[in-house]
Amino acid sequence: MTAATVTRARRFGALAFLALASLLVGTSSLLAPANSARAMAKLAPSLQRDISEMTTGTVEIDQLGTAQIVDAQSRNLAIPKMKARLETARGFAGIPLGSASYKTANQCLAQAVYYEAALEPEKGQRAVAQVVLNRVRHPAYPNTVCGVVYQGYNRPVCQFSFTCDGALMRTPQANLWKQAKAVAKDALAGHVVADVGTATHYHADYVVPKWAYTLGKITQIGRHIFYRFPGSPGRAASFYRGWGGSEFLPQVDFNRFRFAAQAEEHTVIEETFTPGLTVAPDVKDRHAAADVGGRIDTTKTWRLSIPDPVAASAGYRSTLSEQGEAVHEETGSEGATP
């Protein structure tokens, strides 16, 4: 075989390989939406509608009373764990290390770990990172890290509450931020927490979101309780998508949080009038709500009159006499006894 023939054979082989690769890529891109549609069809219609509202948003624990926390914890304990076998999620891969997209993905994932679980045990932080990456591979969610983390950030209800409640305005604590970055790096390198498997949701144990009853409860790590989709959508086979190819960090409009705070500070309490009063009760009034506190209705014909205790009370005059005091009669004479 001549050198020219060998060269032509190699070129033909290379072209054939490229054609086959293109065919496979094209076929996979055509099949992905169909697979996605089938996977989503297995989710109950009501659950599909509720996904956008299934936020991690919670009230701050210091705003709750002890009784409320204990009640929520007891209700969460009453939710049974799923009976299905826990499947281990595949390690995440696909973002080239050192690329601009990797840096952005690490930033978004670290933010999720920090603002959602900075004070949780390390295992709990890793579990939160895994939930994010599980969603990246599931057809119900965006297929980029930042897309998952910031889903709904410009709406009143977002998937991860810190992106739409103003938490990002708080500067991260240096040592905790360093830890969050390390956890994110490990997760992007394929680290897996077997205890949470294919979890796509979690919430704190001191609240009970309505969606907790519709998903499969897996386990609790720290204060977070983890859940997966029920049935086949929660099985490992449904987490088949690859990474989207590029990352974008949204620019959050912090002014809306500042305006909301200012509006709350300057909320004007409308004056309320009690029947029979022409002067509205004041917040500085120190009396019971049912006590008008001397705020008389000046539109009436009567006027406030304080009677003379000496003229009005015989008992008062008698008391003075017993004490040897001179009592003034209404006539004005002095020294007379009653």
Side-chain angles (χ1 to χ4, degrees):
M1 183 180 291
T2 64
T5 303
V6 172
T7 302
R8 285 196 297 270
R10 287 177 177 174
R11 288 178 178 175
F12 178 79
L15 290 173
F17 175 78
L18 290 174
L20 179 60
S22 300
L23 177 62
L24 291 175
V25 171
T27 301
S28 63
S29 64
L30 291 173
L31 290 178
N35 289 339
S36 176
R38 284 197 295 271
M40 290 302 294
K42 296 176 182 177
L43 278 175
S46 58
L47 187 54
Q48 292 187 44
R49 291 193 299 269
D50 292 341
I51 284 178
S52 63
E53 303 296 324
M54 296 167 73
T55 176
T56 63
T58 63
V59 294
E60 296 293 337
I61 190 170
D62 56 7
Q63 296 177 3
L64 299 173
T66 302
Q68 292 172 287
I69 295 174
V70 172
D71 177 63
Q73 290 174 331
S74 63
R75 290 168 62 191
N76 282 317
L77 285 172
I79 300 175
K81 290 185 178 181
M82 68 172 190
K83 296 181 180 179
R85 179 175 61 87
L86 179 64
E87 297 183 355
T88 302
R90 293 183 294 107
F92 185 84
I95 305 181
L97 185 64
S99 65
S101 285
Y102 178 87
K103 182 178 180 180
T104 304
N106 183 268
Q107 173 80 3
C108 290
L109 189 55
Q111 286 178 333
V113 172
Y114 179 86
Y115 289 103
E116 294 280 316
L119 300 181
E120 291 294 297
E122 182 178 326
K123 188 176 182 180
Q125 295 179 25
R126 294 185 182 279
V128 166
Q130 183 167 321
V131 165
V132 173
L133 298 183
N134 282 349
R135 289 190 177 192
V136 173
R137 289 187 294 237
H138 198 279
Y141 297 97
N143 62 349
T144 63
V145 177
C146 292
V148 164
V149 172
Y150 279 85
Q151 187 176 9
Y153 77 96
N154 55 350
R155 300 176 182 175
V157 177
C158 51
Q159 292 293 308
F160 294 90
S161 60
F162 76 92
T163 66
C164 66
D165 65 5
L168 283 168
M169 296 176 68
R170 301 196 303 267
T171 302
Q173 187 175 321
N175 60 323
L176 296 178
W177 176 246
K178 182 178 179 181
Q179 169 71 10
K181 295 278 284 186
V183 168
K185 180 180 178 181
D186 287 348
L188 291 173
H191 185 280
V192 171
V193 181
D195 290 11
V196 297
T198 57
T200 49
H201 297 77
Y202 62 85
H203 67 79
D205 67 349
Y206 49 85
V207 295
V208 189
K210 66 178 183 179
W211 54 258
Y213 297 95
T214 65
L215 302 180
K217 181 180 176 182
I218 298 176
T219 190
Q220 179 168 349
I221 301 176
R223 301 215 73 140
H224 284 148
I225 305 173
F226 294 83
Y227 301 79
R228 51 155 271 191
F229 281 127
S232 59
R235 300 284 302 276
S238 292
F239 294 77
Y240 59 82
R241 288 193 312 174
W243 172 61
S246 62
E247 294 286 344
F248 171 72
L249 181 63
Q251 297 299 311
V252 178
D253 180 13
F254 293 120
N255 284 329
R256 69 183 177 115
F257 305 123
R258 297 190 184 97
F259 293 152
Q262 292 173 359
E264 185 175 345
E265 290 176 0
H266 295 87
T267 299
V268 178
I269 302 176
E270 295 184 3
E271 295 183 346
T272 56
F273 291 87
T274 303
L277 301 181
T278 53
V279 181
D282 189 271
V283 293
K284 296 185 292 296
D285 288 346
R286 297 184 179 276
H287 53 67
D291 180 8
V292 297
R295 293 180 178 276
I296 64 173
D297 186 350
T298 56
T299 64
K300 305 300 181 183
T301 56
W302 57 270
R303 293 290 182 272
L304 179 64
S305 176
I306 301 177
D308 182 350
V310 176
S313 174
Y316 178 75
R317 295 198 303 273
S318 175
T319 300
L320 290 180
S321 294
E322 292 174 359
Q323 295 175 353
E325 296 286 344
V327 180
H328 295 271
E329 296 291 348
E330 292 182 8
T331 57
S333 60
E334 289 187 21
T337 57

